[in-house]
Amino acid sequence: MSGDTPLIQARDLSAVFDVSKPWLNRMLAMEQKRFLTAVDTVDFDIPKGKTFALVGESGSGKSTIGRMIVGLQKPTTGQVLIDGQNLFSITNEKQKLAMRRRIQMIFQSPYASLNPRWRVKHIIGEPVRAFNLLPSGEIDKRVEELLDQVGLAKSDGEKFPHEFSGGQRQRIAIARALASNPEFIVCDEPTSALDVSVQSQVLNLMKALQRELGLTYLFISHDLSVIRYMADQIGVLYLGRLVEVADRDTLFDNPRHPYTRMLMDAAPHIDAFGRTAEIVSGEIPDPINKPSGCSFHPRCELTADQCRRERPEVRVFGPEKARVACHLCTA
Ligand SMILES: Nc1ncnc2c1ncn2[C@@H]1O[C@H](COP(=O)(O)OP(=O)(O)O)[C@@H](O)[C@H]1O
Ligand SMILES: [Mg+2]
């Protein structure tokens, strides 16, 4: 593909879940089927070597987007293009495998994704075997190289996941993700379960690896300070919709959507565990019965009549081309 095509293109992505009760229950109670729109017409690009970050409160659809982008979940509508190729239209098994090698995912709790009965060297080497990347005689050497790349010792390969701390386990998960030589990694709250000091070490490692290996990231977090540190571009999600998309400095210098401003104004404070937590006012509405018009209007400080009636379309603002879905945004 030409250098101008973004490596990742999410086009009009939506995810609708059928959350109806079982048929018989519905018949007896005379209830309609119920649908939950977890992701609503989401659009973004990620250029090669860059980080696009998704920020939003719990339940805003971040993980669902992540799963669709790596191909784990089929979008209800819309497309995911990787290097210009539609991820969900690949039918050839060999091409599917080739595509899977290029995309990896890192989760919040690596413990769940690390087989507790396998030695770390086996865990890290598994993708190399699965994708048939090296002759078996060369795998151990590759694993040592990966351990070194994530700041672990050669001897750590002989241990089991439970022998490590949370931060070290996330390093193991990163090494495993790197084992297939991916170009693109979706990081879903990768440091949210870690102490602040460990968190910054892992974030630094991820940044260094990105520079070294030219990796492209979709970075998901509910924490604006983490997002600010990692992102080139930021998408702010509210109830499944991207309400604002802008490059990092534009977003932090001039947040245009009232929800983005609310997230930023929410004074960070230290919670009982010594971690910063954000206070956001108002409650997230029921995603099955979203408010009419702009779904943010019940929590918005500005709300006009139009906001209750009409869904705001995305408009482009300023020389920085910030994309904002708000009726009342003017500049
Ligand atoms: N498999 C599913 N079936 C039904 N609802 C789901 C499913 N997965 C996610 N949801 C709902 O979709 C919304 C978005 O979820 P999620 O993507 O996990 O958000 P986040 O990662 O931002 O917390 C939530 O309301 C969640 O309850
Ligand atoms: Mg999530």
Side-chain angles (χ1 to χ4, degrees), residues 124-304:
I124 296 176
E126 197 262 345
V128 182
R129 278 183 285 274
F131 292 108
N132 220 343
L133 299 176
L134 287 173
S136 55
E138 291 173 33
I139 296 179
D140 279 358
K141 198 165 145 276
R142 173 71 176 134
V143 169
E144 284 174 13
E145 183 183 291
L146 287 161
L147 282 167
D148 184 57
Q149 248 174 342
V150 299
L152 293 172
K154 236 190 248 182
S155 54
D156 287 332
E158 301 299 329
K159 299 182 188 162
F160 291 92
H162 73 261
E163 297 177 68
F164 294 87
S165 68
Q168 288 171 320
R169 279 202 289 265
Q170 199 53 286
R171 287 172 193 266
I172 297 168
I174 293 170
R176 181 184 153 88
L178 294 178
S180 71
N181 304 317
E183 293 152 64
F184 173 54
I185 303 182
V186 172
C187 318
D188 190 353
E189 307 258 12
T191 60
S192 300
L194 305 176
D195 292 341
V196 178
S197 60
V198 178
Q199 182 169 335
S200 54
Q201 289 165 13
V202 174
L203 294 176
N204 281 335
L205 170 68
M206 293 180 68
K207 277 197 132 181
L209 291 168
Q210 177 170 46
R211 273 195 306 273
E212 253 168 67
L213 305 170
L215 297 169
T216 306
Y217 289 152
L218 173 63
F219 193 94
I220 296 173
S221 177
H222 65 280
D223 183 337
L224 267 178
S225 56
V226 170
I227 292 279
R228 184 174 202 167
Y229 186 65
M230 294 301 287
D232 294 298
Q233 253 216 336
I234 299 170
V236 180
L237 263 186
Y238 188 75
L239 282 178
R241 250 200 118 184
L242 277 178
V243 294
E244 180 161 4
V245 178
D247 62 65
R248 181 199 45 200
D249 292 344
T250 303
L251 192 93
F252 279 91
D253 294 347
N254 184 13
R256 287 174 163 93
H257 197 285
Y259 178 61
T260 311
R261 287 202 293 274
M262 182 167 141
L263 283 179
M264 287 182 185
D265 291 348
H269 71 288
I270 308 289
D271 71 13
F273 302 99
R275 298 158 50 118
T276 55
E278 275 138 16
I279 318 160
V280 177
S281 62
E283 280 193 28
I284 309 171
D286 176 2
I288 301 175
N289 298 302
K290 289 188 197 178
S292 60
C294 171
S295 28
F296 184 59
H297 85 254
R299 292 170 78 186
C300 185
E301 51 178 15
L302 299 175
T303 307

Side-chain angles (χ1 to χ4, degrees), residues 17-19 36-39 56-65 67 73 188 220 237 287:
F17 294 110
D18 184 342
V19 290
L36 185 156
T37 303
V39 177
E57 290 160 287
S58 171
S60 56
K62 303 182 296 295
S63 296
T64 306
I65 293 176
R67 282 198 304 273
Q73 184 181 322
D188 190 353
I220 296 173
L237 263 186

